């Protein structure tokens, strides 16, 4: 019995020894596997290839849409409005009839003035006949005087009579009558008020039956085919723009799509209150959607350089106080220190440290260290 028990104890000790050895072996193998996995960890990254492009630094300023041309509708004559052919918002062409004043009194005066011209001309015609007869008498008296048939006194009386009947004395009277008639015709023309320019009628201040007087605006017309955008720039920005330069303009109230305007005016003197320089640009408005008073965002190009290496701002990192990017060399991340130049909200110019063709990391770089092994994936998968 004792011998049998000793056998069981021996078996149990052997099993415990085997279990202990197996556990140690598994633990060692697991530790080695984890160490190997840690040593060969590969980081997924997205990359781009360095190339040259044009760097444009922009800034946005607020502007206001205004009419490019505007004109008040005036009356040159006094009178009652008997016809009104305009309303606010109505499109008109230059020369269209907008207002007609009562012309009855002037038409009567014109009739009288015409009669005065006719009377003056008739008087001259009659005087011409009398003058011709007096001249003929004088010429006969002159012949008789040479023959001794009449005295010198008679000849002088005939000559004086002829001069008194000279019809040219009526010329001034006729001219005065014609001038009065012309003045009245002008007044008649002034009773018809036309559009001074093509555009849209605004601010109509009168109605049919009102009295119109010279010097008082009756309405306003603004041109619509072209509008202007007025804005102001700083001392730093004013030297970055020039006359004739085209700028992008965004008017949110219209369509949200950028339009192109041309600078037509740059004030060389800053506003005394704001210390800003007023600028105007012209913008086509063929569909008439742009209205005076709308707000506009004007994009200024303050810096512009061609043929420079540009990288996205996210690709530029600071590691241990050094500015640079991670390049990929044979599937290894290599930190490359760079010298940067201009930058905007999207890109940074690389002045030194990179060459065209360099492959640099644009996504996944924040978890890297110099020398890490990487694998290239699509952007956004990291």
């Amino acid at each position: 019995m004792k011998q049998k028990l000793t056998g069981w104890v021996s078996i149990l000790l052997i099993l415990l020894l085997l279990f202990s050895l197996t556990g140690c072996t598994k633990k060692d193998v697991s530790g080695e596997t984890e160490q190997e996995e840690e040593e060969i960890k590969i980081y997924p990254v997205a990359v781009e290839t360095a190339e040259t492009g044009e760097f444009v630094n922009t800034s946005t300023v607020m502007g206001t849409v205004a009419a490019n041309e505007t004109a008040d509708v005036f009356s040159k004559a006094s009178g009652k409005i008997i016809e009104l052919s305009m309303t606010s918002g109505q499109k008109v062409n230059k020369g269209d009839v907008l207002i007609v004043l009562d012309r009855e009194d002037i038409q009567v005066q014109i009739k009288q003035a015409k009669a005065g011209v006719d009377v003056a001309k008739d008087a001259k015609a009659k005087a011409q006949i009398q003058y011709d007869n007096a001249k003929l008498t004088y010429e006969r008296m002159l012949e008789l005087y040479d023959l001794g048939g009449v005295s010198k006194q008679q000849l002088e009386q005939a000559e004086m009579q002829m001069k008194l009947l000279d019809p040219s004395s009526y010329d001034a009277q006729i001219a005065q009558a014609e001038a009065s008639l012309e003045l009245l015709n002008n007044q008649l023309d002034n009773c018809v008020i036309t559009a001074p320019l093509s555009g849209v009628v605004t601010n109509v201040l009168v109605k049919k039956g009102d009295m119109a007087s010279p010097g008082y605006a009756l309405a306003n017309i603004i041109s619509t085919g072209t509008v202007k955008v007025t804005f102001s720039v700083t001392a730093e920005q004013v030297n970055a723009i020039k006359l004739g330069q085209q700028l992008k303009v965004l008017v949110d109230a219209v369509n949200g799509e950028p339009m192109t305007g041309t600078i037509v005016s740059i004030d060389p003197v800053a506003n005394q209150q704001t210390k800003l320089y007023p600028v105007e640009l012209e913008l086509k408005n063929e569909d008439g959607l742009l209205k005076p008073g709308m707000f506009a965002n004007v994009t200024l190009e303050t810096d512009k350089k061609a043929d420079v290496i540009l990288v996205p701002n996210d690709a530029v990192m600071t590691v241990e106080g050094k500015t640079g990017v991670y390049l990929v060399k044979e599937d290894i991340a290599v930190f490359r220190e760079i010298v940067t130049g201009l930058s905007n909200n999207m890109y940074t110019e690389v002045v030194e440290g990179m060459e065209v063709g360099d492959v640099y990391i644009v996504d996944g770089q924040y978890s890297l260290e110099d020398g890490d092994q990487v694998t290239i994936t699509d952007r956004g998968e990291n």
Side-chain angles (χ1 to χ4, degrees), residues 116-131 163-178:
V117 172
D118 292 340
V119 169
K121 289 182 176 180
D122 287 344
K124 181 179 179 180
K126 292 177 180 179
Q128 183 69 48
I129 295 174
Q130 293 176 343
Y131 173 81
K163 290 180 178 179
L164 289 174
L165 295 173
D166 186 356
S168 62
S169 60
Y170 289 88
D171 289 343
Q173 183 180 348
I174 294 173
Q176 184 177 0
E178 289 178 337

Side-chain angles (χ1 to χ4, degrees), residues 252-303:
D252 292 331
V254 176
N255 51 26
E257 293 293 328
M259 296 168 281
T260 302
T262 304
I263 296 177
V264 295
S265 172
I266 303 174
D267 200 320
V269 180
N271 181 283
Q272 292 298 315
Q273 282 73 39
T274 65
K275 305 303 179 184
L276 299 176
Y277 294 82
V279 182
E280 290 183 358
L281 61 79
E282 283 188 353
L283 202 60
K284 289 185 178 180
N285 186 35
E286 295 174 352
D287 52 10
L289 296 178
L290 298 174
K291 304 291 192 298
M294 289 182 173
F295 293 111
N297 291 312
V298 182
T299 301
L300 305 178
E301 295 181 353
T302 54
D303 295 294

Side-chain angles (χ1 to χ4, degrees), residues 180-192:
S180 298
L181 178 61
E182 183 179 2
L183 179 62
L184 290 170
N185 281 325
N186 288 336
Q187 292 179 4
L188 182 66
D189 293 339
N190 291 337
C191 289
V192 179

Side-chain angles (χ1 to χ4, degrees), residues 289-347:
L289 296 178
L290 298 174
K291 304 291 192 298
M294 289 182 173
F295 293 111
N297 291 312
V298 182
T299 301
L300 305 178
E301 295 181 353
T302 54
D303 295 294
K304 196 171 185 179
K305 294 176 70 174
D307 298 326
V308 296
I309 294 178
L310 301 175
V311 297
N313 293 338
D314 289 342
V316 181
M317 300 183 63
T318 301
V319 177
E320 296 180 355
K322 297 179 180 180
T323 300
V325 297
Y326 275 106
L327 303 183
V328 176
K329 301 286 188 180
E330 299 179 353
D331 295 332
I332 300 297
V334 179
F335 184 76
R336 175 71 61 81
E337 186 177 0
I338 62 173
V339 177
T340 60
L342 299 174
S343 65
N344 55 26
N345 60 342
M346 293 182 64
Y347 294 99

Side-chain angles (χ1 to χ4, degrees), residues 133-204:
N133 291 332
K135 183 178 179 182
L136 182 59
T137 299
Y138 169 73
E139 290 173 349
R140 289 175 180 173
M141 292 289 284
L142 184 58
E143 292 177 359
L144 291 174
Y145 176 76
D146 291 338
L147 296 174
V150 294
S151 65
K152 184 177 182 180
Q153 184 178 3
Q154 290 176 312
L155 178 63
E156 289 174 349
Q157 288 177 348
E159 182 180 9
M160 184 174 292
Q161 184 66 24
M162 178 187 69
K163 290 180 178 179
L164 289 174
L165 295 173
D166 186 356
S168 62
S169 60
Y170 289 88
D171 289 343
Q173 183 180 348
I174 294 173
Q176 184 177 0
E178 289 178 337
S180 298
L181 178 61
E182 183 179 2
L183 179 62
L184 290 170
N185 281 325
N186 288 336
Q187 292 179 4
L188 182 66
D189 293 339
N190 291 337
C191 289
V192 179
I193 304 170
T194 59
L197 56 84
S198 298
V200 175
V201 177
T202 66
N203 198 29
V204 178

